[in-house]
Amino acid sequence: MVPIRPSEITPEHVYLNRRKFMAGAGALAGAVALAACGPSLPTTGEGATAAEAAPEAAAAASAVPLEDLPPALAHAEPFASQQTDELGDPLNAYDEITHYNNYYEFTTDKQGVARLAEKFHSRPWTVKVGGLVNNPKTYDVDDLLRKFPQEERIYRLRCVEAWSMVIPWVGFPLAELLKEVEPKSEARFVRFRSIFRPDEMPGQQARWLEWPYTEGLRLDEAMHPLTILATGMYGKLLVNANGAPLRLVVPWKYGFKSIKAIVEIDLVEKMPVSTWMAAAPNEYGFYANVNPNVDHSRWSQATERRVGELGRRETLMFNGYEEEVAHLYDGMDLRANF
């Protein structure tokens, strides 16, 4: 295992002392929210097109060649800076994480995704960020790697199917990207869309789900410091089976909220209808918060199976991030807003 220098990763207190981290991050979130919803700042204007915004991205792209990956990703072997999460739970192995996936764009077979995704082309890749923003932009994904400092975030992932993992993601806060495009005051939600490429993603040839995959967050959820856009894990770029080159990670929500292979991010006024809401609205709500007290319509959510472990363990409210995110839902009926 290659040792990692402190300068290459998220500051130690971020993952070793989450309480301390969140105290600072909460203040940051407040500042970010004010910036996002406050009066308009100098911008390129609503009419600025993605093409007009692209030169800035192109300039950033020329600064550093892709071969010089950000420090948090530039490692020869998959590794993480820690062996456990902040609760003391061991990380799942790299092979477990990359070979056991729900990724219905390829197949419903969790252990078949990696093979089917091998030939998927995740470069070149651009992400269009627009909608109710003052400064729409189109980013090359490699620009994002260079532009935003890449951090390691060791998060628990809880699937709605009641299996779970602990994953050392690499990525950057979604809030940093949203600040750049300057959401307008009427923006309330963020809608994400994945790529539609049925010739490379055989699962998209099936019609039992609407494609492209669509997901959404409330704006304050999207701006929360725990919400990241992941570009890698274990000090490596994301592999195709895990949503390369860019996926959403919201650790207090069920895994299906973490849309993969993102190509569009739009700020909108009305709550988006996500793919699973459209498919089965009685089973998959918009919020999808991990909640052991609200069962899925066909199974209990009280316990979960950690991949690689025998037996089951109790599921934690908000996947163990209750202290950080419960206030986002003050006054809400979490049974009605599941």
Side-chain angles (χ1 to χ4, degrees):
M1 179 174 292
V2 179
I4 190 169
R5 295 193 301 271
S7 61
E8 296 177 339
I9 58 175
T10 304
E12 189 176 39
H13 69 274
V14 170
Y15 50 83
L16 291 182
N17 188 338
R18 182 154 51 86
R19 184 187 301 269
K20 181 178 178 181
F21 162 60
M22 292 311 305
L28 172 63
V32 167
L34 287 173
C37 303
S40 298
L41 299 173
T43 71
T44 57
E46 182 179 2
T49 65
E52 289 167 341
E56 182 177 337
S62 64
V64 181
L66 179 60
E67 302 83 63
D68 296 334
L69 290 172
L73 287 165
H75 302 292
E77 299 294 335
F79 77 98
S81 61
Q82 298 290 310
Q83 301 287 336
T84 66
D85 67 9
E86 83 282 12
L87 300 181
D89 291 332
L91 310 185
N92 279 91
Y94 183 79
D95 282 348
E96 287 177 328
I97 300 169
T98 55
H99 287 81
Y100 190 86
N101 316 86
N102 270 338
Y103 202 166
Y104 286 2
E105 283 90 334
F106 289 101
T107 175
T108 57
D109 176 7
K110 296 177 181 59
Q111 294 170 312
V113 172
R115 177 179 56 81
L116 289 173
E118 285 179 353
K119 297 182 179 179
F120 179 72
H121 294 89
S122 59
R123 295 289 194 286
W125 195 277
T126 58
V127 182
K128 182 180 178 182
V129 187
L132 296 173
V133 301
N134 292 313
N135 191 23
K137 292 189 176 185
T138 296
Y139 296 89
D140 184 281
V141 71
D142 296 317
D143 300 337
L144 297 178
L145 280 165
R146 300 180 185 95
K147 185 177 184 65
F148 299 104
Q150 304 294 304
E151 305 175 1
E152 183 181 70
R153 299 287 188 93
I154 297 175
Y155 286 157
R156 292 170 293 285
L157 171 70
R158 169 62 153 82
C159 180
V160 72
E161 297 171 345
W163 56 267
S164 63
M165 292 185 181
V166 181
I167 301 176
W169 298 107
V170 173
F172 61 95
L174 173 59
E176 297 302 311
L177 180 66
L178 296 181
K179 282 191 295 182
E180 277 225 339
V181 297
E182 301 169 5
K184 295 183 177 181
S185 59
E186 60 266 39
R188 294 287 181 270
F189 296 89
V190 185
R191 183 182 62 212
F192 305 85
R193 286 206 172 105
S194 62
I195 199 164
F196 181 64
R197 201 184 283 171
D199 55 330
E200 291 187 42
M201 307 174 100
Q204 290 183 339
Q205 297 171 17
R207 297 186 177 182
W208 59 278
L209 282 180
E210 293 184 9
W211 309 107
Y213 198 95
T214 300
E215 256 305 339
L217 294 174
R218 239 174 32 196
L219 183 56
D220 59 345
E221 296 175 323
M223 301 295 274
H224 193 279
L226 289 183
T227 303
I228 64 170
L229 288 174
T231 56
M233 69 169 66
Y234 267 109
K236 302 283 284 184
L237 287 170
L238 279 182
V239 298
N240 292 339
N242 291 93
L246 189 73
R247 66 174 285 171
L248 180 69
V249 176
V250 192
W252 69 94
K253 294 179 180 289
Y254 292 120
F256 69 87
K257 295 292 286 188
S258 298
I259 182 172
K260 306 175 182 73
I262 298 169
V263 292
E264 291 182 16
I265 300 174
D266 287 312
L267 282 288
V268 297
E269 185 172 5
K270 295 182 178 179
M271 177 183 290
V273 176
S274 68
T275 293
W276 282 105
M277 289 169 67
N282 61 321
E283 297 188 10
Y284 304 100
F286 175 80
Y287 286 95
N289 290 323
V290 176
N291 189 339
N293 304 312
V294 177
D295 290 340
H296 185 276
S297 61
R298 289 179 283 144
W299 57 79
S300 170
Q301 295 289 24
T303 64
E304 64 196 63
R305 175 181 62 86
R306 179 67 49 84
V307 172
E309 291 182 354
L310 298 174
R312 300 180 72 84
R313 58 170 62 203
E314 291 186 359
T315 285
L316 302 175
M317 188 68 194
F318 294 114
N319 205 22
Y321 303 96
E322 183 173 12
E323 182 179 346
E324 292 81 12
V325 303
H327 68 279
L328 297 176
Y329 311 101
D330 283 347
M332 290 181 63
D333 181 347
L334 297 183
R335 292 187 178 276
N337 298 282
F338 59 92

